[in-house]
Amino acid sequence: MIQPFRLALALALAWGAAAHAEPLPEGRVRRERPVTVASTAGEPLPMVHIAQDTPTLLLFPAPIQRKSLTFDESRIRVLDAGERSVIVQAVSDLRKDEQQELGVFFADGRAPARAAFSLVTDPAEVDTRIDVQRPALPDSACPTAAQSRVPQPEDFVLLGYVDEMGVTTSEVDTVESSAQGLSSNRSMSFRGKGWVLVDLQVLNGMDRPAWTPREALLVGRVGGPLRARLVNVQGDAIPPGKERRVLVVADTQGLEASASFTLEVRGDGGRSLTIQKVRFPRPAPGEAR
């Protein structure tokens, strides 16, 4: 099976070969060139020349979040989006005074996190291939916290984690300390577009050794357990008598239709925290969440 990146590259080479064999309509010159994305929100967007009769290939230096692509579908057609490439074409040549924005997030989250371009039509030339370049950080070996991009509310919509139904929540029952020496309180479950999440405050017993959560399982009434992704927010062990925040995330595609689940968070020393009757808000009737 041909990988998307290789397929896009093969198409670009084929278009380049065709350019030498066929004259361009209206005398447009085909160009292949590098373009550097803006490093800050205040910088002007780099310009890319597109046309109705010529596809334009954008090759990225790192994997992209294909679901985060934003563009006006009435004016721009995306022919293909791969792991590190996007092929675009104008539905019709853009007007002389018209500019269309195309944007996409990089998958690694490194600054600049989003690549955006101003698409225009030029009667004299068209870009057949754009090698997207990313500005280097001032000190790439040791980035500072100030250089890290803080997630914004719009990111969750652009990445497809929130839709018109928003995010719904439900309370999770408190768990008292048991023989395992672990308890939880102030817990909440969330449901968004395609995902569910349980936000836990886990307390380690005063007389117990430090404990690090390692894995999480959601068990329904039927079928096998669903292994969920566990996020230890502070990234270290929970000391005796201390409380830490732990997030459990699962994809709703692997989640069976069940009224409630048992959540088991396993960790060091064979100790685990078990929470019964974890309920996730149900999607609205007729909505695929």
Side-chain angles (χ1 to χ4, degrees):
M1 176 174 159
I2 300 177
Q3 297 297 321
F5 178 79
R6 294 181 180 175
L7 175 60
L9 185 57
L11 289 172
L13 294 174
W15 296 331
H20 295 291
E22 299 177 6
L24 278 173
E26 303 178 11
R28 282 196 183 106
V29 176
R30 295 176 184 260
R31 297 181 60 190
E32 297 182 3
R33 61 191 178 96
V35 163
T36 301
V37 301
S39 57
T40 64
E43 291 184 25
L45 301 182
M47 198 164 291
V48 175
H49 299 140
I50 64 170
Q52 178 185 10
D53 53 24
T54 307
T56 298
L57 169 68
L58 293 94
L59 294 177
F60 295 85
I64 57 174
Q65 289 271 4
R66 285 173 284 183
K67 290 184 178 180
S68 70
L69 267 171
T70 54
F71 59 96
D72 184 347
E73 295 183 9
S74 68
R75 305 297 290 134
I76 305 299
R77 181 182 296 115
V78 172
L79 303 179
D80 182 71
E83 182 183 3
R84 295 174 60 172
S85 64
V86 176
I87 303 173
V88 299
Q89 192 171 8
V91 173
S92 61
D93 284 354
L94 305 183
R95 299 183 304 274
K96 186 177 180 180
D97 60 345
E98 182 180 3
Q99 295 186 17
Q100 291 289 334
E101 181 175 322
L102 173 79
V104 67
F105 280 87
F106 288 102
D108 58 15
R110 184 174 65 81
R114 185 172 184 260
F117 310 89
S118 180
L119 307 182
V120 299
T121 295
D122 190 307
E125 61 186 37
V126 60
D127 293 315
T128 57
R129 170 170 165 169
I130 295 293
D131 290 302
V132 180
Q133 297 182 350
R134 211 171 178 186
L137 294 173
D139 184 2
S140 58
C142 186
T144 64
Q147 294 166 345
S148 300
R149 183 180 182 277
V150 178
Q152 300 297 317
E154 63 269 23
D155 295 345
F156 301 100
V157 175
L158 292 172
L159 290 171
Y161 297 133
V162 178
D163 62 4
E164 67 277 6
M165 298 301 297
V167 176
T168 53
T169 65
S170 179
E171 292 185 2
V172 176
D173 292 343
T174 298
V175 175
E176 301 295 337
S177 182
S178 63
Q180 301 284 342
L182 298 167
S183 59
S184 71
N185 56 26
R186 298 196 308 276
S187 302
M188 187 75 66
S189 68
F190 299 78
R191 179 187 287 269
K193 184 181 178 183
W195 56 270
V196 291
L197 182 148
V198 182
D199 188 348
L200 302 171
Q201 292 289 342
V202 180
L203 175 65
N204 189 19
M206 183 70 72
D207 58 345
R208 298 295 180 132
W211 184 77
T212 301
R214 301 292 183 184
E215 64 174 348
L217 299 173
L218 284 166
V219 183
R221 294 180 178 179
V222 297
L226 172 65
R227 188 176 298 276
R229 181 164 56 89
L230 188 146
V231 180
N232 184 358
V233 175
Q234 291 181 261
D236 55 4
I238 305 176
K242 298 295 183 180
E243 191 177 57
R244 292 286 187 270
R245 191 180 186 187
V246 175
L247 306 178
V248 176
V249 189
D251 190 329
T252 55
Q253 290 183 350
L255 204 66
E256 66 177 66
S258 180
S260 65
F261 295 83
T262 297
L263 171 61
E264 184 178 359
V265 181
R266 299 174 179 175
D268 294 343
R271 298 165 62 202
S272 62
L273 172 67
T274 300
I275 305 175
Q276 308 285 344
K277 297 182 180 178
V278 174
R279 296 177 176 84
F280 296 110
R282 291 186 176 276
E287 293 289 339
R289 295 295 297 274

